[in-house]
Amino acid sequence: MTEKISGGAFKQMVAFGAACITREKQAINDLNVFPVPDGDTGTNMSMTIGNALPELKAAGDGISAGDAAKLTASAMLRGARGNSGVILSLIFRGLSKGLAGQAEADAKMLSDAFKLGVDAAYKSVMKPTEGTILTVVREAWENTKDSAQEGGDAAEFLAKFIEEGEKSLANTPELLPALKKAGVVDAGGKGLLVILS
């Protein structure tokens, strides 16, 4: 059976992603050298996604994927902290737009929704810099979009998306001299993959 993501599954994924980034936030803070080494990327991303949890909890289990995505995105946008939090909330806003009105999401819907997230994130930054969370989410989408079939397995697509994101993240120091100099990968990109994993 092809796996689609239901509203209940979307809620669980957000809760799990929030728990993961909360656990890893100090490690992500330690990677934070760009645009300023203020060591708060993990904290900001953790607080941003954490905003969605009370609303999702209150929503009950019969919620559709589209409504769960919408609740998540609006709570994250309202409570976004720092650049990384704003970009993260916009990626989720794209997911919310792409899944609007859907009870469940298949691979193609998820891929199309990520494309909207990529576009929204790039538009939000006046001078997009490659080698950041923007590159990671864009390359993950570009390298998986052709494999996303209508009716395709959403969980399989997400696993591929994360795998491609990891490759992109590993390459961020080659694109951004500040990262190479510090010997780290991009903090925001790492945070995103921790949440999606």
Side-chain angles (χ1 to χ4, degrees):
M1 193 184 101
T2 306
E3 197 177 329
K4 290 185 173 182
I5 293 174
S6 64
F10 193 95
K11 281 174 58 174
Q12 283 175 332
M13 285 161 62
V14 172
F16 185 70
C20 289
I21 188 121
T22 299
R23 196 180 60 231
E24 303 264 336
K25 71 181 174 197
Q26 194 48 55
I28 293 165
N29 286 343
D30 293 344
L31 296 174
N32 184 196
V33 296
F34 181 87
V36 279
D38 47 11
D40 62 359
T41 295
T43 302
N44 286 340
M45 293 179 92
S46 167
M47 290 176 88
T48 299
I49 194 166
N51 283 316
L53 300 181
E55 294 191 29
L56 286 173
K57 209 173 195 169
D61 284 333
I63 191 171
S64 70
D67 286 347
K70 188 179 174 181
L71 270 180
T72 303
S74 60
M76 285 172 70
L77 279 164
R78 283 197 309 273
R81 296 276 301 256
N83 283 341
S84 54
V86 170
I87 291 170
L88 180 66
S89 70
L90 287 166
I91 291 167
F92 272 86
R93 186 176 175 199
L95 284 175
S96 146
K97 280 184 174 170
L99 301 181
Q102 301 296 336
E104 297 180 317
D106 65 14
K108 178 86 171 85
M109 285 175 204
L110 209 52
S111 175
D112 291 348
F114 267 115
K115 168 70 168 99
L116 294 172
V118 170
D119 291 346
Y122 266 90
K123 277 188 199 128
S124 74
V125 183
M126 227 144 61
K127 282 189 182 159
T129 303
E130 295 303 333
T132 62
I133 182 173
L134 296 173
T135 310
V136 173
V137 71
R138 177 178 55 76
E139 289 187 343
W141 174 74
E142 283 174 351
N143 294 327
T144 52
K145 67 179 193 289
D146 295 337
S147 69
Q149 302 297 319
E150 239 170 87
D153 191 311
E156 229 169 73
F157 168 78
L158 200 54
K160 263 191 211 139
F161 190 91
I162 292 161
E163 196 182 304
E164 290 299 332
E166 296 285 0
K167 289 182 201 166
S168 177
L169 180 68
N171 191 48
T172 54
E174 301 308 315
L175 300 173
L176 202 53
L179 299 179
K180 194 161 196 167
K181 192 176 168 195
V184 294
V185 293
D186 178 64
K190 176 68 177 170
L192 175 68
L193 293 174
V194 165
I195 286 169
L196 294 178
S197 301

